[in-house]
Amino acid sequence: MTKKVKLKISARLVKKRSRRYGFAGSRNCRFCTNAEQLALIDFKNVPFLKGFMTERGKILPARISGNCCLHQRALAKEIKSARVMALLPYTAAQY
Amino acid sequence: MVSRYEVLILTVPEITADESKNIETQFDRVIKEAKGSIISFEKWGKYKLAYPIRKNDYGIYFLARFEVNTAAVEEVRSLLALKFYELIMRHAIVLLDPKKSLAYQKPLSLEDAPARDVNTFLKENRMEGLMSSNASVGAAEDYEEDLA
């Protein structure tokens, strides 16, 4: 029976390996699973759209909000339409 | 080919009732000439804009929905953009799916939003003592009591 030799792995290498596999369990897109939410994506629906923007007025990336790319694009399009109609800001107010 | 559209119109806040009635009648006329039908014409009310437009911080929104053939949309656009340039600051014409429902959500207007005066604000934030005339020393003591 050979003795198992434990190789010393540096902490830096361990962290590097764990970083490769990223966050465990991808979130599901709330619009893919729920059709009522799909109907809420509208440029007039300001309180709903505000939940997908930061305080500075920037649109949240899909990796944070968990949207799939199809619905992220639809959402961004509606947010931009609302910005044109002054329902949502382009940037955080200075006042 | 007849399609369903909706227009969101943003006008100056100083618009009078006569002028908004005029916009509505002109709009009706254009749609009737194109042999279409109007589904709804609603006034949303006065809103605070997200950024000042033409130096106005507030504006009045109207939402109109109509069905008309696709060639006539250009008429509607020229009506809103050219004829009423003084009054209408922004407009957005959107194609609607006729099979989907007409329900929509709209943001709270200034009239609908609950009016908040100084006393309710202070009560909500538990700052009652701060604004009274003999506040100076007493308020500091109360604050330290709250912290303890």
Side-chain angles (χ1 to χ4, degrees):
Chain A
M1 243 181 13
T2 52
K3 214 174 167 188
K4 240 187 170 177
V5 176
K6 249 194 192 173
L7 288 172
K8 270 194 198 170
I9 304 179
S10 69
R12 205 160 131 259
L13 205 54
V14 168
K15 264 196 253 175
K16 186 174 173 183
R17 284 198 192 151
S18 67
R19 232 189 307 141
R20 203 185 301 165
Y21 297 109
F23 304 110
S26 54
R27 301 267 169 80
N28 295 323
C29 171
R30 60 158 79 176
F31 300 107
C32 288
T33 50
N34 188 355
E36 289 154 10
Q37 300 265 314
L38 253 187
L40 291 179
I41 303 182
D42 189 16
F43 74 103
K44 301 185 287 292
N45 199 355
V46 166
F48 181 71
L49 291 182
K50 259 211 157 130
F52 292 97
M53 291 168 66
T54 72
E55 282 141 12
R56 271 185 66 195
K58 299 166 80 160
I59 303 179
L60 281 176
R63 60 188 168 88
I64 307 286
S65 55
N67 298 328
C68 71
C69 97
L70 183 74
H71 295 123
Q72 177 72 8
R73 279 200 296 260
L75 189 71
K77 184 168 173 290
E78 295 296 328
I79 289 181
K80 290 172 190 174
S81 301
R83 281 173 173 171
V84 167
M85 290 302 294
L87 293 164
L88 284 173
Y90 281 98
T91 178
Q94 284 96 358
Y95 8 89
Chain B
M1 208 190 69
V2 174
S3 329
R4 183 179 288 189
Y5 298 93
E6 71 173 5
V7 191
L8 186 64
I9 303 171
L10 173 61
T11 62
V12 290
E14 298 94 20
I15 195 170
T16 62
D18 287 340
E19 285 167 350
S20 60
K21 205 79 188 92
N22 187 22
I23 293 180
E24 192 174 347
T25 46
Q26 294 284 338
F27 190 73
D28 281 352
R29 191 182 55 83
V30 168
I31 301 287
K32 290 244 172 48
E33 273 174 19
K35 291 182 276 288
S37 61
I38 298 191
I39 301 173
S40 64
F41 191 98
E42 299 164 11
K43 177 176 168 176
W44 277 9
K46 197 174 188 184
Y47 283 77
K48 185 164 183 0
L49 302 177
Y51 51 90
I53 298 183
R54 293 197 204 167
K55 313 246 174 40
N56 295 319
D57 287 321
Y58 299 90
I60 299 189
Y61 284 98
F62 295 86
L63 183 72
R65 288 177 162 177
F66 52 96
E67 282 190 1
V68 84
N69 58 331
T70 44
V73 173
E74 194 51 49
E75 297 276 325
V76 174
R77 196 176 310 194
S78 67
L79 174 80
L80 297 174
L82 300 176
K83 192 154 194 289
F84 287 113
Y85 178 74
E86 309 292 316
L87 297 172
I88 295 182
M89 302 197 283
R90 294 270 205 272
H91 64 96
I93 305 182
V94 176
L95 188 67
L96 289 181
D97 189 358
K99 285 180 275 223
K100 286 207 182 130
S101 78
L102 285 177
Y104 66 92
Q105 288 85 6
K106 68 175 193 192
L108 274 181
S109 72
L110 273 183
E111 291 115 13
D112 295 338
R116 298 171 67 195
D117 57 338
V118 178
N119 290 327
T120 48
F121 180 80
L122 290 179
K123 202 181 282 186
E124 278 172 19
N125 295 313
R126 280 170 285 144
M127 302 194 305
E128 267 130 12
L130 285 180
M131 292 284 278
S132 64
S133 52
N134 46 351
S136 48
V137 176
E141 289 181 34
D142 289 341
Y143 187 67
E144 280 171 355
E145 265 186 328
D146 279 349
L147 286 179

